[in-house]
Amino acid sequence: QVQLVESGGGLVQAGGSLRLSCAASGRTFSSYAMGWFRQAPGKEREFVAAITWSGGSTYYADSVKGRFTISRDNAKNTVYLQMNSLKPEDTAVYYCAAGYIATMSALQYDYWGQGTQVTVSS
């Protein structure tokens, strides 16, 4: 069992930056791939980024590639999402998730956090 708690969301102007954190409980964090997803009002949840258990491979949605960076610190049981050059269309609730495969498919993740709101003003 893994419990995930996101933090770091907030209100930022377009062009600004935020860093989201996702703290995981449990001693098996390092065995899980981690993903970030987001859901805007009236839209389906969408993939943002994923990272393998070792951190050796990362994957990004085309919409965030070059602006967002996913990373992890297994010693701290934490995964991060550094978001730069934010746009109003990045406004959403951001969720972290844990699973056995680093994938774009939300169905492959077994554990989810409660989400953190990111709002980008124009």
Side-chain angles (χ1 to χ4, degrees):
Q1 189 81 5
V2 177
Q3 292 185 327
L4 304 172
V5 179
E6 301 97 336
S7 62
L11 174 64
V12 63
Q13 289 188 331
S17 298
L18 282 175
R19 188 175 83 154
L20 305 183
S21 299
C22 174
S25 65
R27 291 178 287 180
T28 59
F29 171 76
S30 61
S31 64
Y32 287 95
M34 299 296 296
W36 284 98
F37 291 77
R38 66 187 182 187
Q39 187 166 18
K43 296 187 176 181
E44 293 187 353
R45 189 170 298 191
E46 65 173 0
F47 169 77
V48 175
I51 188 167
T52 54
W53 67 271
S54 66
S57 295
T58 56
Y59 308 91
Y60 297 94
D62 288 342
S63 59
V64 307
K65 202 171 293 184
R67 300 188 298 123
F68 291 11
T69 302
I70 188 171
S71 62
R72 68 189 296 161
D73 185 338
N74 286 343
K76 294 182 178 181
N77 281 11
T78 302
V79 63
Y80 305 97
L81 185 68
Q82 177 67 44
M83 305 186 295
N84 298 329
S85 302
L86 282 160
K87 305 174 181 180
E89 51 263 44
D90 294 319
T91 295
V93 177
Y94 283 71
Y95 299 89
C96 69
Y100 289 105
I101 300 173
T103 172
M104 297 174 55
S105 172
L107 296 176
Q108 299 295 325
Y109 291 87
D110 299 307
Y111 304 101
W112 292 81
Q114 83 290 347
T116 185
Q117 176 70 47
V118 171
T119 303
V120 184
S121 63
S122 57

